[in-house]
Amino acid sequence: YRDLIEVSQPQMEAIHNLVRDSGFIVNLVSPEGTILAHCGDPEVIRTGASINYRPGANWHEDQVGTNGISLALDSMNPVQVVGPEHYCCSHHGWTCSAAPILSAEGKLLGVLNMSGSAYRKHVHTLGMVAAAARAIENQYKLLTKSNELEIVNRKLSAIIENTSDGLLVCNAKGTISYINDKLSENLNLDPEKTVGE
């Protein structure tokens, strides 16, 4: 989940900065329900750890009963759970606003969740979390496309470098933008000096 975590971290920090010192934790959860990363007010992080609400813990419904994370995982829709709507009594003091993060193909990548005191629940929290989840989806799509292009470029470079012909690429103005090793060798050219001529 490295790519998902890296893409999500800035959004998690951004929404936490909006509610800093208000008693909330923002976390990223895998499709299996495992908390992958979190940020939030230190005191709330300590309180959450007392109910195993920390990275590495599994918050799927079959592990801890109904909660915002499990409902978002199962329904693949944004959801807010407040107080006694949680199955476990130890979670009744919490509110959770969770939104799924989906791939371009609609596959569940994970869930973004914000939790805090049930007394501080607000309907806008769910909208904020859902908007951040959409931003993560867009960033993840860009990262996926970038990775795909990098793979294609490597394949093309390997083909070009392994051809027996010398190749030279020029732009529309006639400026050299690339020469392969075979052409460099055949014409005794230094690629660093030739590109841009």
Side-chain angles (χ1 to χ4, degrees):
Y1 298 107
R2 182 184 67 230
D3 288 346
L4 181 62
I5 293 169
E6 287 178 11
V7 165
S8 300
Q9 204 71 46
Q11 287 298 322
M12 292 170 61
E13 290 170 6
I15 62 172
H16 173 254
N17 285 334
L18 292 173
V19 296
R20 185 176 298 281
D21 299 325
S22 64
F24 280 87
I25 299 173
V26 180
N27 52 42
L28 176 67
V29 182
S30 76
E32 298 78 31
T34 302
I35 298 175
L36 300 171
H38 72 179
C39 64
D41 296 344
E43 184 177 321
V44 184
I45 288 175
R46 282 190 295 279
T47 303
S50 71
I51 59 168
N52 204 27
Y53 187 59
R54 59 179 175 70
N58 190 296
W59 275 68
H60 199 276
E61 188 164 19
D62 61 3
Q63 300 295 314
V64 294
T66 303
N67 62 80
I69 292 169
S70 67
L71 290 175
L73 287 169
D74 291 342
S75 71
M76 291 178 55
N77 287 303
V79 64
Q80 188 172 60
V81 174
V82 182
E85 293 174 350
H86 291 92
Y87 175 80
C88 290
C89 292
S90 61
H91 306 156
H92 287 187
W94 291 80
T95 181
C96 300
S97 298
I101 301 167
L102 306 176
S103 72
E105 299 79 28
K107 178 184 170 210
L108 182 66
L109 298 172
V111 164
L112 185 65
N113 180 70
M114 186 159 47
S115 295
S117 169
Y119 298 109
R120 296 181 183 233
K121 76 154 182 104
H122 198 286
V123 292
H124 292 17
T125 306
L126 184 58
M128 185 169 50
V129 170
R134 297 301 77 78
I136 292 168
E137 288 175 354
N138 290 333
Q139 282 299 115
Y140 194 84
K141 288 174 191 171
L142 289 173
L143 178 65
T144 301
K145 287 294 178 197
S146 176
N147 289 342
E148 289 171 2
L149 286 173
E150 187 176 331
I151 291 168
V152 169
N153 282 336
R154 281 192 215 150
K155 287 179 182 177
L156 288 173
S157 292
I159 292 167
I160 290 170
E161 287 304 327
N162 290 307
T163 184
S164 59
D165 296 326
L167 296 173
L168 176 131
V169 178
C170 293
N171 67 18
K173 295 179 181 177
T175 304
I176 299 170
S177 58
Y178 177 82
I179 62 171
N180 70 351
D181 290 342
K182 189 66 175 177
L183 184 66
S184 296
E185 182 183 309
N186 288 347
L187 299 179
N188 196 25
L189 297 171
D190 179 353
E192 289 183 18
K193 293 180 181 175
T194 307
V195 171
E197 290 290 316

